[in-house]
Amino acid sequence: YDVVVAGGTPAGCAAAIAAARTGKTVLLLEPTQQLGGLTGNGIGVADTGSLGSLGGVFWEFCTRVRERYDRSPAVAVGAQARSRLTVFWEPHTAAEVWAELVAARPQIRVLFGAVPTGVEMDGARIAGVRWERSTHPMGDLPADARRTLASSG
């Protein structure tokens, strides 16, 4: 792989998508069974005060979420979901949208249940990520890459 991203959070998904758009092959390691981090597990709002402050892949995520709710007016998220200053979502919607955004890039391979346990160094450069399965530990397995990103956001 050209890039290994540790964590399928919004930042990790965005990093993987951005790398794939430049033609890089990406291995996205996600410890859980779904993408989206807190957006897919409980945080249901981007309350920026101004949607103009959003950009990049997160803007695309918010746009897709809004489009879903615009097409489904019966969804029980209320009038706030259609606010022009805030984007609200249900966790399952966020997880689905992140999965769609990532799946649209065939250069990205997602490994669910992959917990990063360390790094392999080449001098001062991170050369790879060591990981194990979260449900059945298999020991440290190397995931070599030319570039490595750690996403905790």
Side-chain angles (χ1 to χ4, degrees), residues 1 13 15 24 30 48 63 71 90 97 101 103 122-123 129-130:
Y1 296 94
C13 289
K24 305 295 184 200
E30 170 52 38
T48 64
T63 300
R71 288 191 311 263
E90 298 160 290
V97 170
L101 287 168
D122 181 10
V129 176
R130 299 177 70 72

Side-chain angles (χ1 to χ4, degrees), residues 34 39 44 59 76 79 84-85 90 100 104 110 126 144 153:
Q34 72 177 23
T39 63
W59 169 254
R84 293 296 137 204
L85 297 177
E90 298 160 290
E100 290 168 6
V110 180
I126 297 174
D144 298 325

Side-chain angles (χ1 to χ4, degrees), residues 118-123 125-130 140-145 148:
V119 296
E120 294 185 5
M121 300 297 293
D122 181 10
R125 180 177 91 65
I126 297 174
V129 176
R130 299 177 70 72
D140 291 338
L141 302 173
D144 298 325
T148 302

Side-chain angles (χ1 to χ4, degrees), residues 128-148:
V129 176
R130 299 177 70 72
W131 61 276
E132 63 184 35
R133 291 274 178 203
S134 61
T135 54
H136 302 292
M138 300 178 348
D140 291 338
L141 302 173
D144 298 325
R146 289 187 206 104
R147 303 272 189 277
T148 302

